[in-house]
Amino acid sequence: MGNGVREGPVEFQRDVEPVTARIPAEDNQEKKKVLNSLMSGALAGAVAKTAVAPLDRTKIMFQVSSKRFSAKEAYRLIYHTYLNEGFWSLWRGNSATMVRVIPYAAIQFCAHEEYKQILGNYYGFQGKALTPFPRFIAGSLAGTTAAMVTYPLDMVRARMAVTPKEMYSSIVHVFIRISREEGLKTLYRGFTPTILGVIPYAGLSFFTYETLKKVHAEHSGRAQPSPPERLLFGACAGLIGQSASYPLDVVRRRMQTAGVLGHTYSSILLTMQDIVREEGLIRGLYKGLSMNWVKGPIAVGISFTTFDLTQILLRRLQHGPGLER
């Protein structure tokens, strides 16, 4: 009986020690995973947006004006901007874009990884690819989360893109002038159409990219697509996602820049009505879409590819060359 009493605690400690030792290691792995996603997403957003910044600025300038869009007019606008303001003026507003895009992309990609894991656990798909509906939901939730956190920076970027250098000298100056002259609420003008547009855009973009990777793996027998294949899958994702949400993108740009362009847009429906009445359905709500079909797929393709390859590189550095995404 004495022996039994002495052996009990020893046996108990032997069972508990491995469990307590495992918990910090699991927490550490989760922290590394989140940090990798944040870093990869930030780099992906920065590289992609910088690559297409001149096209992005040109698109915004057409979206917020009543001028008819055409490839010839877009080229003329880019050329005149270059002649009158210099080469680097084509990237005007890109600093504001970076201030927004880096946290936006970091949050979006990281949130997507987390939502995939949460939905995978909920639906019982741990370690496996999600089915189509959860795949779409994960993308939509990721985009919505990022947009909610970083929206005022998007407003600032739009203002800097359509105004002369003399009006706003810096990002901080935009915040100060808007707050003083138009009120803090202005920083969230156009927020509703942004969220309504992000749901199909982010949902379809992530859904398309993840689906194409899954189909590729099933048909090619290779677990990982090559970088050019990733670019192609990302381009398809961007094309589908941006086409679906484009009218709401035009509406939010009009609402964001109304204060400096002499318009008053009080709601999404009234803004749409004004655009359609003055410019027509296709020429108004889809103005600049053809440029987006060039810019969007390039940006999204670069973004997804950069994220995936950076993730793979970071994991190799941490765990050795045998581990891939």
Side-chain angles (χ1 to χ4, degrees):
M1 189 165 156
N3 289 342
V5 173
R6 281 195 302 271
E7 288 172 4
V10 175
E11 202 61 49
F12 176 76
Q13 295 224 342
R14 201 160 43 227
D15 288 339
V16 169
E17 279 174 2
V19 176
T20 55
R22 248 191 338 258
I23 292 171
E26 288 174 0
D27 285 347
N28 203 34
Q29 279 299 112
E30 186 61 29
K31 285 176 184 174
K32 277 186 180 178
K33 182 185 164 192
V34 170
L35 186 60
N36 285 355
S37 295
L38 287 169
M39 290 170 60
S40 302
L43 182 62
V47 172
K49 277 294 184 182
T50 300
V52 298
L55 294 176
D56 207 24
R57 184 184 183 218
T58 304
K59 182 202 73 172
I60 291 172
M61 293 175 79
F62 273 102
Q63 283 182 329
V64 301
S65 74
S66 56
K67 191 183 295 184
R68 184 177 174 182
F69 176 84
S70 69
K72 185 178 179 182
E73 285 298 319
Y75 170 76
R76 187 175 297 167
L77 177 60
I78 291 171
Y79 184 64
H80 278 287
T81 303
Y82 163 69
L83 286 180
N84 297 330
E85 300 179 43
F87 177 74
W88 293 113
S89 69
L90 296 173
W91 275 264
R92 174 161 167 74
N94 195 50
S95 57
T97 301
M98 290 300 101
V99 171
R100 170 192 171 261
V101 157
I102 288 173
Y104 180 93
I107 293 167
Q108 180 177 238
F109 278 106
C110 183
H112 183 245
E113 295 297 305
E114 294 302 307
Y115 284 131
K116 278 200 303 182
Q117 186 173 320
I118 291 167
L119 289 168
N121 292 338
Y122 180 79
Y123 286 102
F125 298 131
Q126 296 98 325
K128 300 176 186 174
L130 294 174
T131 52
F133 181 68
R135 208 177 299 151
F136 175 82
I137 294 298
S140 295
L141 288 172
T144 303
T145 302
M148 289 174 69
V149 174
T150 62
Y151 185 78
L153 294 168
D154 188 44
M155 157 68 85
V156 169
R157 193 266 298 230
R159 285 290 181 96
M160 289 188 76
V162 300
T163 54
K165 286 186 286 187
E166 299 76 29
M167 187 163 186
Y168 298 119
S169 59
S170 67
I171 297 167
V172 175
H173 188 212
V174 183
F175 275 110
I176 293 170
R177 281 197 63 173
I178 289 176
S179 302
R180 187 169 50 219
E181 297 172 10
E182 302 173 55
L184 285 171
K185 283 173 62 177
T186 304
L187 291 172
Y188 277 88
R189 184 181 291 159
F191 178 71
T192 304
T194 297
I195 294 300
L196 292 176
V198 158
I199 291 169
Y201 169 65
L204 286 170
S205 295
F206 279 105
F207 168 82
T208 303
Y209 185 67
E210 295 285 324
T211 300
L212 289 173
K213 285 205 302 182
K214 183 173 180 289
V215 170
H216 171 272
E218 290 170 353
H219 286 79
S220 69
R222 289 186 285 125
Q224 299 298 325
S226 64
E229 287 169 336
R230 289 180 195 273
L231 280 170
L232 179 61
F233 298 162
C236 292
L239 188 66
I240 293 169
Q242 293 192 344
S243 298
S245 62
Y246 195 78
L248 286 163
D249 190 43
V250 174
V251 169
R252 81 183 170 109
R253 292 302 183 202
R254 293 293 179 97
M255 294 179 78
Q256 286 176 336
T257 57
V260 291
L261 297 177
H263 296 288
T264 52
Y265 297 122
S266 57
S267 71
I268 297 171
L269 288 177
L270 288 175
T271 305
M272 281 188 168
Q273 285 174 7
D274 286 349
I275 293 170
V276 172
R277 185 174 62 249
E278 293 171 12
E279 303 166 50
L281 178 65
I282 303 300
R283 290 179 182 174
L285 291 178
Y286 289 90
K287 181 187 292 181
L289 178 60
S290 57
M291 178 175 284
N292 235 40
W293 283 342
V294 175
K295 176 192 78 72
I298 293 172
V300 179
I302 291 172
S303 181
F304 279 126
T305 303
T306 303
F307 177 78
D308 277 358
L309 296 181
T310 306
Q311 283 276 79
I312 291 170
L313 176 62
L314 289 173
R315 289 175 182 178
R316 281 181 173 176
L317 290 173
Q318 290 168 0
H319 303 286
L323 187 64
E324 284 201 353
R325 179 184 170 87

